Each structure stands twice: as C-alpha cells, then as structure tokens.
Amino acid sequence: PAGRYLLEERKKGVFLIKFANLGNVGLRLIPTYLSYLLLAFLKANRLVSKKHYLILMSLGGHTYTGLVVSLLSRIRNKISIIRVAGLSRRTVRYRYSWGIILEKILYLLEHIAFKTANLIVTNTDLSNYFPSIDKRKIIYVVQGVDTKIFHPRDTKKMEKESIIITTVSRLSPEKNILSLIKAFALLKSKYENIKLFIVGFGPEEDKLKNLARSLKLNDVVFLGYKPPIKVAEILRDTDIFVIPSLSEGFPSSMLEAMACKVPVIAGPAFKEKKEWYEYVLLADGDEISIANAIEKLIKDAELRKDLAEKAFLKVVNEYNSELSKDVMSKTILKYLRKYAAENKLRINVPQLK
C-alpha cells in the first residue's frame, strides 16, 4: 500500500513496487498514477543508493514509467534507457473518464522523460506523436515474437464445421471489442457456423458479456487470460484474427497471429502504419465496416491465404524475438562502454558478435 517504502525482493534482482490503487475512473485516476510515480521514484532511488548500477532502464513501455528512470539517472549520474511501446496519451483518451485531463498531464511528463533520457528504444514512429523529440536519441528495435511458441500447425488443419474468429486483447474501451461483438451479431444471421473467441480481460469485461448475452450470441466465447502457450494453440485453430483497436502502440497479439499464419483484420489504429497495409485487411471502427471485412475474408479463401502467407514471412524474417534481444543487448553494452570511458572506469564489458 501507499506509504510503505520498503522494497520487496520477489526474485533475485526483481523488486516489487507497491502503490495505492485509488481507482481507474474519474479524478481518482490522477492520484493513482501520481502516487505510483512518486513511490516508484522513492523506492528506485533507495535501491540505487544501496547497489552499484551504471544503467537504469525502464521496460514498461509507457513513457511515464520511463520518467522515473530518466529523472533518477540525471540525479544519480547514471545512463538512462527508456522503452516506449505504447502511445500513452492516445490510450488514456479512450480508456478513462477524465482522459482529456490526464492526457495533458501525460504530455508534460512525456516531455520531461524524452528530454532527460539518454536513449529511447521504441518499435514505433514517434515523430508524429511527439514532433519535438530528439531523433538522435532514438533506436528502433522491432517487437519480437517467440517463433518457438508461435508458429503454424505442423500438420495441415483438419476440416472443421466452424469458422473461428479470434481477438486477443485487453478488454478496455480503446480496444473496440464492443464493435467487434456487434459486427459478429450482424454476421451471425448469414453464417450460422461462425464463432468468436475473445482472449483477455479488463474493465469492460462485464459490459461486453452483458452485450453478448443481450444479443443472444451463444457463440461468443470469453476465454479470459491465457498464457502464451495456450494463446498459440488457440491461434493455430483460428481462421480470422481481428484487432479492431481505436488506439494502439504495436500489439504483440497481431504479430503472434501472423506468426501462426492467420490472416489479420486491423482497425483504425493501424491507418497510420502504412508499412503494414499489404499484410492486413483494414477496417474502420464501426461494426458495419468490421463485419464487411470479416465477410470478405470468409468468402475469399485466396485473399485469406495471400495475407497469411505474406504476413508470416515478414514476421519470421523481421520480427523474430532473437533479433530484438540481440539489438537490445548490443545497445546496452554500447552505452555501458561509453559510460565507463567518460567516467574513466575499468570495466570489462563483453563483446557480442
């Protein structure tokens, strides 16, 4: 709870930072985030004062967590590396009530984080999101997929009676699962053999279940949280994957579906990602557009195969997790050598091939 400043070590070198969950609606959300940032800063500072770290790095993906690392690094004369995977301001605009106010607060926090960080590791183009960012600090590292887990079925799919449509997502407003369920309802009268699997959980779960119940959609199946191995099994049985998000960073679930050779329908959040146009079928955020896209893939087996094949090759060749691990490791070692040289420290930094 808030007010306890003890660091809890759960695993060797892994520490838990607790904070008060004051609520995720209304103005209570703002003190929740601010309490997290304050306690994270105080506890991380205490940890750094006890142990000799040269590089501080945030892996959370949201810029406000990077703020803790970048500020603390400036104070403690360390190297800071922050990872940015989520476009935080756009996310809170859809996700929370009072999101517009929180968006303005996050803009200030992001400005400080980007200004004070030594290095920004990201998998997305930040130039439109934050035009004043120093591009010399940015290193692009692709989001990796573990292709040992996420891969197509070894044998040919068995012919089955049902057409399975799947989404893997946090169940929150910006993910637009509400429109996907409504789209499924529009299609159900035409295609009795379709099923919708929804993998994930979140604040809209009860609302979405009530919608499916009110529309008498018995073939909408809520599977809740599933570990990666189980997600991969579900994807291998999937015919069409849909990610209808209104706002999105760069979702692992889409890459995982592609690695399992499943054709993907992507929502309006992907209209800015022009490099993916030939690998997904784009849809607007409303239920009619989503339903039309799903129906197009149901009817056109060649298009399904073409999208799946092209996206599969792109992911395994460019988004394999081994590639991103290699780039990230070399980046950290490069900055460790730089820090050691500038501070005249004798450190044996290993060389990676």
Side-chain angles (χ1 to χ4, degrees), residues 88-90 92-93 98-108 110:
S88 306
R89 279 184 285 125
R90 293 179 184 174
V92 299
R93 185 193 309 165
W98 293 90
I100 294 175
I101 294 176
L102 191 59
E103 184 181 3
K104 294 183 184 302
I105 294 172
L106 283 179
Y107 179 83
L108 176 62
E110 286 176 339

Side-chain angles (χ1 to χ4, degrees), residues 2-34:
R4 282 184 59 191
Y5 297 100
L6 295 176
L7 282 163
E8 251 184 71
E9 189 168 14
R10 286 297 178 89
K11 293 183 179 180
K12 186 176 180 181
V14 178
F15 295 86
L16 175 68
I17 294 175
K18 292 184 178 181
F19 69 101
N21 185 359
L22 304 176
N24 64 355
V25 294
L27 288 173
R28 287 176 295 172
L29 178 65
I30 295 173
T32 293
Y33 273 91
L34 293 180

Side-chain angles (χ1 to χ4, degrees), residues 83 85 123 141-145 250-252 255 318-321 324:
R83 176 176 170 264
N123 57 9
V141 178
V142 299
Q143 191 149 321
V145 177
F250 202 96
S252 298
L255 298 177
E318 299 178 27
Y319 288 82
N320 191 310
S321 60
S324 56

Side-chain angles (χ1 to χ4, degrees), residues 203-215:
E204 280 205 319
E205 186 169 349
D206 290 340
K207 180 180 179 179
L208 296 172
K209 286 180 176 178
N210 289 336
L211 174 64
R213 199 177 297 117
S214 69
L215 295 173

Side-chain angles (χ1 to χ4, degrees), residues 231-352:
V231 172
E233 291 174 2
I234 294 166
L235 289 175
R236 280 191 279 275
D237 283 329
T238 295
D239 297 289
I240 299 169
F241 184 84
V242 185
I243 181 163
S245 305
L246 302 172
S247 175
E248 195 68 74
F250 202 96
S252 298
S253 62
M254 182 186 79
L255 298 177
E256 290 163 357
M258 290 174 170
C260 293
K261 210 177 272 192
V262 180
V264 173
I265 294 170
F270 291 84
K271 288 192 174 179
E272 293 181 2
K273 305 180 193 302
K274 294 182 179 179
E275 70 275 16
W276 286 94
Y277 278 14
E278 64 179 297
Y279 304 101
V280 301
L281 182 61
L282 285 173
D284 291 327
D286 62 281
E287 59 264 33
I288 294 174
S289 178
I290 296 169
N292 287 340
I294 293 172
E295 186 171 31
K296 186 173 184 178
L297 287 187
I298 289 174
K299 289 180 174 180
D300 194 336
E302 264 319 298
L303 179 59
R304 289 201 308 271
K305 182 180 178 182
D306 183 56
L307 284 174
E309 287 282 353
K310 286 195 295 188
F312 169 73
L313 291 173
K314 183 174 180 65
V315 168
V316 296
N317 290 325
E318 299 178 27
Y319 288 82
N320 191 310
S321 60
E322 294 303 315
L323 296 174
S324 56
K325 289 175 186 175
D326 183 59
V327 172
M328 185 71 78
S329 299
K330 288 178 178 177
T331 299
I332 292 173
L333 293 176
K334 172 187 171 183
Y335 271 78
L336 185 57
R337 281 190 288 271
K338 177 183 175 184
Y339 181 89
E342 289 176 351
N343 292 274
K344 299 179 180 179
L345 299 175
R346 292 184 178 179
I347 301 174
N348 184 21
V349 181
Q351 294 282 350
L352 295 181

Side-chain angles (χ1 to χ4, degrees), residues 121-242:
V121 178
T122 184
N123 57 9
T124 191
D125 184 2
L126 298 174
S127 57
N128 291 327
Y129 178 70
F130 213 99
S132 62
I133 195 167
D134 185 350
K135 295 178 177 60
R136 293 171 298 177
K137 293 182 176 183
I138 298 176
I139 288 185
Y140 292 97
V141 178
V142 299
Q143 191 149 321
V145 177
D146 190 341
T147 53
K148 294 176 183 175
I149 297 175
F150 295 94
H151 56 80
R153 189 173 294 284
D154 294 331
T155 56
K156 188 178 180 180
K157 280 186 180 180
M158 298 281 291
E159 290 295 325
K160 55 184 189 297
E161 295 180 1
S162 297
I163 297 171
I164 296 175
I165 302 158
T166 299
T167 189
V168 180
S169 172
R170 174 182 163 85
L171 305 185
S172 54
E174 79 281 4
K175 302 299 183 181
N176 200 29
I177 306 302
L178 194 77
S179 293
L180 175 58
I181 293 174
K182 290 179 180 179
F184 183 81
L186 293 175
L187 291 167
K188 191 62 183 171
S189 59
K190 291 184 180 180
Y191 304 96
E192 293 184 0
N193 63 332
I194 59 174
K195 290 186 177 182
L196 175 60
F197 289 172
I198 299 174
V199 182
F201 61 95
E204 280 205 319
E205 186 169 349
D206 290 340
K207 180 180 179 179
L208 296 172
K209 286 180 176 178
N210 289 336
L211 174 64
R213 199 177 297 117
S214 69
L215 295 173
K216 298 180 181 179
L217 297 173
N218 297 325
D219 288 323
V220 175
V221 184
F222 290 85
L223 297 173
Y225 167 79
K226 296 292 179 185
I229 291 176
K230 292 294 183 184
V231 172
E233 291 174 2
I234 294 166
L235 289 175
R236 280 191 279 275
D237 283 329
T238 295
D239 297 289
I240 299 169
F241 184 84
V242 185

